[in-house]
Structure formats: C-alpha cells, structure tokens
C-alpha cells in the first residue's frame, strides 16, 4: 500500500497501463470475490424489487408495475400470516430447546472426560452429514411405525426441528468454548469460586456470544426448513410450505414482502450484535 | 505491515487442546438430554427407515406393513429410479465444483484481502440466507425467465438460440443448487484460510517461490481441511435436494429427492424408504472415497 503512485513514478517510469495490470494482478482475487458476492445478492435484490410489484396476472412473475399495496396489506393472501405464525412459534420453541440441550452437550464434550466421547461425537456430527430428505423420511418412518401418523402436525415438526438444530448448536458453542483459555476458569477456582460461581461469572459470559450465535442459527434453520417439515407436517402449514403451495398456483407478491422483512430484521440483529461487541471491546 | 499482527494468540488455543477435563458423572448428566433426543429422533428413525425399506410393499398405511425382508424393494428402486439417482449425484458434483470455483476466490479474498472490511464481507456471505430458501429459489425463476435480461443478453450474443431458454433446464437447476449451497463452502474454507500462518507465505517468498508456487505449496494444502469440509457440506445437501429441481427444472431434471418425496406422499413407504437408504449409501460411499483421497480425517 505504501508503494503507491508517487514513489513508483520516481523510481521507475511506468505507463499507466502497466500500473493498472499490476494493480489488477494484486487484486484480481478481490474483484472475483466481489463478483461472487454480487451473484449471491442478486436474488435478494429481486426479492426486494418484487415486494413492490403489481402483478398483471395471478401467476405472473415479471415486474409489471410499482405499488405499495403488498406492504400495506401483508396478510392479504389467505392463510399466509397463519402459516407465518406457525413458523415463528415452532422456530422460537425449537430454538429454546435446541440451544439449551446443545449448550449442555457442548460443555460436556469440551470440559468433561467420559467413556463414549467418540461415539457421541459421531452421533452429533451425523445429522449434519445426512441429506434432509433421508432425515425427514426416517422420522416419518418412525412416526408411522409407532402408529402416531395421525398425530403428524405441530409437535412432530417441533421434534424434527429440535433434532436437526441440536447438532449445529453443539458445533457452534463447542467452537467458542474450545477457543476459551481454560486457565481463566482455573484461576477463578484458585480464588475460591465454587463450580457454580465459576460457571456463571466466568464461563457463561465468555461463551454467551457463541450461544447467541447458535440460537440465531437455530431459528433461521427452523424457520427456513422445508424438506423435513413437509414430510412430517400432516395438515399443519408452515411459511415455507405455504410458499411451496403458492409456487404451484401463482405466487402472491406479499411473499416477497415477508422475505424482505426477514432479511432486514436479521441484518439489523447482526449489525446490532457487531456494534455491541465493538462497544464491549472498546471498554 | 507486520506479520505478527495477523497471528492468532498461539498460547491460549494450544492450551485448550490439552486442557484438563473433569471426570465423573457430570459429563453424562450434561450430555444425556440432548444425546437422548438425537438417539430417539435420529438414530432410531434411521434404523426404522432401513427396516421399513424391507417391508412387504403390498401393505398400506391403513392395513399395516408386514416385515418380509423384501430385498426386492432395492432392486425395484434401482431399476425404476436409477436415472434420477445418477442425475442427483451428477448435478451435486457439478454444483460442488461450481461452488469451489466461485467460493475459493471469495473465501481467499475475505481472508487475505479483506482488511478492515473482513467482517462486513463475512456478513455479506451470510446475509442472503436470512431470506427464506424457497423465496430466494423462486426469485431465480424471475432472473432466468424468458423475458428478462439474462436470457435476452445470451440470445443477443447467440449463446442461446432465438428460442433458447434457461428456465426449466438442467442449467437452471444446477445454478440454483450452486447458489443455495455456496455459503456452506465459503464459511469453513474461510475458517481454514484465516488460520494459515502468514509467516509461512513470507518464508516461501524468501525462498524464491513465486506467488503461485507459494499458493500451491503452502496455502492450498493448509486450506484442505476447510475445502474438504466445505465440499461435503455442499455436496450432501445438494444430492438430496428437490426444491431446485421442482422450482427451476422440468420433468426430465427430476432428482432422487423428488421421487422419495412423491413416493412418501403416495403412501408407498417401503419403496420410498429403500430409495432413501440407497441415496444415503451412495453418498456415504462417495464421501468415504473422496475423504480418503483428499487425505483429511479431522472432520469432526
């Protein structure tokens, strides 16, 4: 960076062209990276654009005109907000249970020594390495064989979501916990803190960002899941299932409003978390 | 630029690996609630799935199924759905390669060129995924639509014929798969690249390695754990996905996930289960070969 223009022209007269190629050589990776980011963002731009669309026909998916109607009448499409409510309820419950159980497991895996650690590791890892359709069909096979196929619905979806969120929670919290210096906990114990105090005063605050990240991840995994949910939902309709059904009939533009709102909320959460972390670091 | 400022705090992270672990029952107490959940709702169902795949297919949900060790379900599934199975693996491999071609430069740019924008770029990788998977996939219907810019441009360039389209083609399905699973490649790869000790690269260049040689001999091998983990996290869900095929494809791009879902919906549990088991077995086999070849075993 310090070898910028003035000194370069002084030592070796170079044409603007060769300087450009040199700069390009240094930064071509960055340019490609930014292009890839653009590719990743294109659908989000489309979703935001489409949230203002005034479709000419029911199943039209081209931008026909600008309107704010979708934003003022979000719950317009029949059943959409009901599905949204179901998804949020399941998401919150699944996040609470999975984060609690997964955090306990992460502490066990990192801080405790016991027989069967390797087996536990495999059982935690496998759900992340199993295609959703296999996991979903396994659960359905269990429910059908257990004779509870008539009870498929809210609770079976919740069970499934807690199951696949658990592994991600364990891995996320474990990563945070493994990066912690265990000498901090030892120091607390040396200073006569008991285990309970050490946990709440030292370990928990230090691991908390990891737990929060795991909870956010859980909620987004749960809220977004379609394949496993679809197999185990019975008559219940979650938001992704509503979108799926709508995709066959013609997509109401309000779906894009919900997509945009979710994007903005999550972005705000991340930015707020970052600001908080900076403030803490600054103190 | 001082290299030391990039180095991770070596002491603390090394210490936690051989940290003293507590013995006793505490570990089991913490592990058991979540562990039981995984055993009851993941391990047991997997066994049930294998059992269901051997049931007599003439049964039904209402009448019940009889366990007849009906191995023929497997041959039937392979004969009837072999093409979809192969297509799934093929699409997943292509999508994974496309993800590497796009994801490696991105992860590299974030780790090595990000500077103070590193966190911002990481957020940008995750941000699109705050919008629902299905809503994003549907937006590709618009982007690749016949009357939109991409198709018009490609027609004008004669890449596509005047009647050519992108939507409802294998290309659209693979584009969707690539798009949907790209972050799963970028994030672990970034984590690996971030850990590469910058002093090794300085050493390589001190020893007259060109930037390319330094990349090939130092950065690439050191990023292998992240690359292997990332490709698996891309390939596995892509092979089982049916959303992209359904929303962006046509009846000739159906993948094995579509068939499994439809068989379950139609109530043919034994065939659906055997197809599921075959998919899982094919993935495990391919992954085992791949991991052995890539020479990394520290995945867990």
């Amino acid at each position: 960076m310090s070898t910028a223009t003035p000194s370069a022209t002084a030592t070796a007269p170079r044409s603007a062209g060769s300087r450009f190629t040199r700069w390009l050589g240094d930064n071509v990776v960055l340019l490609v990276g930014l292009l890839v980011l653009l590719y990743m963002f294109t659908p989000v731009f489309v979703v935001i654009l489409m949230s203002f669309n005034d479709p000419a026909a029911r199943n039209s998916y081209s931008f026909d005109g600008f309107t704010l109607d979708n934003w003022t009448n979000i719950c317009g499409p029949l059943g959409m907000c009901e599905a949204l409510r179901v998804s949020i309820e399941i998401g919150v419950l699944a996040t609470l249970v999975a984060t609690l159980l997964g955090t306990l497991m992460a502490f066990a895996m990192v801080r405790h020594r016991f027989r069967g650690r390797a087996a536990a590791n495999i059982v935690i890892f496998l759900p992340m390495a199993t295609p959703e359709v296999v996991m979903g069909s396994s659960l359905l096979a269990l429910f059908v064989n257990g004779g509870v196929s008539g009870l498929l619905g809210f609770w079976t979806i919740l069970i499934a979501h807690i199951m696949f969120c658990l592994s991600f929670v364990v891995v996320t919290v474990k990563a945070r916990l493994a990066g912690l210096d265990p000498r901090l906990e030892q120091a607390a114990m040396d200073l006569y803190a008991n285990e309970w105090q050490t946990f709440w005063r030292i370990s928990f605050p230090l691991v908390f960002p990891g737990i929060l990240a795991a909870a956010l991840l859980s909620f987004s995994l749960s809220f977004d899941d379609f394949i496993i949910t679809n197999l185990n939902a019975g008559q219940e309709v979650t938001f992704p299932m509503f979108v799926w059904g709508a995709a066959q009939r013609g997509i109401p533009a309000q779906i894009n409003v919900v997509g945009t709102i979710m994007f903005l909320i999550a972005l705000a959460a991340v930015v707020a978390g970052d600001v908080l972390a900076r403030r803490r670091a600054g103190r | 630029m001082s290299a030391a400022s990039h180095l991770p705090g070596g002491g603390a992270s090394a210490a936690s690996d051989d940290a003293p672990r507590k013995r006793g029952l505490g570990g089991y107490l913490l592990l058991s609630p979540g562990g039981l959940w995984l055993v009851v709702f993941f391990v047991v169902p997997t066994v049930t799935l294998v059992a269901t795949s051997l049931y007599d297919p003439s049964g039904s949900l209402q009448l019940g199924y009889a366990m007849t060790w009906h191995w023929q379900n497997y041959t039937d599934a392979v004969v009837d759905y072999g093409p979809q199975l192969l297509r799934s693996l093929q699409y997943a491999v292509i999508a994974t390669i496309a993800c590497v071609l796009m994801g490696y430069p991105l992860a590299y740019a974030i780790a090595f060129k990000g500077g103070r924008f590193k966190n911002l770029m990481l957020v940008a990788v995750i941000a699109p995924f705050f919008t629902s998977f299905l809503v994003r996939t549907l937006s590709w219907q618009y982007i690749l639509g016949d009357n939109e810019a991409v198709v018009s441009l490609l027609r004008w360039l004669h890449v596509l014929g005047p009647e050519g389209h992108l939507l409802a083609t294998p290309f659209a399905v693979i584009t969707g798969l690539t798009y949907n699973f790209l972050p799963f490649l970028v994030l672990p790869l970034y984590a690996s690249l971030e850990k590469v000790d910058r002093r090794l690269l300085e050493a390589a260049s001190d020893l007259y390695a060109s930037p390319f040689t330094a990349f090939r001999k130092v950065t690439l091998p050191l990023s292998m754990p992240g690359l292997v983990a990332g490709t698996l996290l891309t390939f596995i869900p892509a092979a089982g996905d049916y959303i992209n095929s359904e929303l962006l494809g046509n009846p000739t791009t159906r993948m094995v996930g579509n068939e499994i879902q439809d068989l379950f919906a139609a109530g043919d549990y034994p065939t659906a289960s055997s197809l599921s088991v075959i998919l899982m077995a094919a993935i495990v086999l391919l992954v085992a070969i791949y991991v052995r070849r890539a020479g990394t075993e520290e995945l867990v």
Side-chain angles (χ1 to χ4, degrees), chain A residues 98-277:
Chain A
T99 308
L100 177 67
L101 299 187
T103 303
L104 297 180
M105 287 174 89
F107 268 92
M109 298 301 290
V110 178
R111 289 287 189 260
H112 289 265
R113 183 197 293 268
F114 53 89
R115 273 167 179 279
R117 261 176 60 90
N121 240 334
I122 291 174
V123 172
I124 291 166
F125 177 72
L126 269 181
M128 292 188 293
T130 307
E132 283 191 66
V133 74
V134 176
M135 245 192 299
S137 45
S138 304
L139 261 177
L140 180 59
L142 176 79
F143 291 139
V144 168
N145 277 292
V148 293
S149 58
L151 299 176
L152 287 176
F154 188 90
W155 297 104
T156 50
I157 300 175
L158 184 61
I159 286 173
H161 284 203
I162 293 170
M163 185 268 292
F164 67 71
C165 288
L166 255 179
S167 300
F168 287 93
V169 173
V170 179
V171 170
T172 312
V173 177
K174 232 175 93 178
R176 177 82 193 176
L177 201 52
L180 280 192
D181 192 340
R183 286 174 296 190
L184 292 171
E185 288 162 7
Q186 286 159 19
M189 302 284 254
D190 286 349
L191 295 166
Y192 302 105
N194 61 31
E195 270 201 38
W196 189 248
Q197 289 168 322
T198 309
F199 176 79
W200 284 112
R201 296 272 184 88
I202 308 292
S203 318
F204 184 76
L206 287 170
V207 181
F208 185 69
I211 298 176
L212 199 62
L216 285 176
L217 184 64
S218 289
F219 184 80
S220 59
L221 284 172
S222 162
F223 190 87
D224 214 17
D225 181 75
F226 173 71
I227 295 183
I228 296 177
T229 311
N230 194 28
L231 280 164
N232 291 289
Q235 301 299 312
E236 196 70 82
V237 177
T238 63
F239 179 68
M241 291 175 68
F242 176 83
V243 177
W244 181 261
Q248 328 284 335
R249 305 187 299 266
I251 310 143
Q254 280 88 342
I255 281 177
N256 295 300
V257 177
V258 175
T260 307
I261 292 174
M262 278 160 53
F263 177 75
L264 294 177
I265 290 177
L267 205 61
V270 169
V271 170
D274 198 47
V275 168
L276 275 180

Side-chain angles (χ1 to χ4, degrees), chain B residues 188-208:
Chain B
L189 187 57
Y190 162 78
S192 262
L193 285 169
E194 177 63 26
K195 274 192 254 167
V196 171
D197 189 336
R198 304 304 200 267
R199 287 176 303 188
L200 294 174
L201 294 173
E202 285 176 18
S205 92
D206 286 350
L207 295 166
Y208 302 106

Side-chain angles (χ1 to χ4, degrees), chain A residues 131-133 227, chain B residues 88 92 235-242 255-258 279 283:
Chain A
E132 283 191 66
V133 74
I227 295 183
Chain B
S88 296
F235 173 78
I236 295 170
D241 180 81
Y242 63 83
M255 295 168 71
V256 69
N258 302 65
L279 170 66
I283 288 175

Side-chain angles (χ1 to χ4, degrees), chain B residues 198-222:
Chain B
R198 304 304 200 267
R199 287 176 303 188
L200 294 174
L201 294 173
E202 285 176 18
S205 92
D206 286 350
L207 295 166
Y208 302 106
S210 69
F212 180 70
T213 314
F215 171 77
R216 198 167 55 86
K217 299 250 178 172
V218 179
T219 316
L220 187 60
L222 286 174

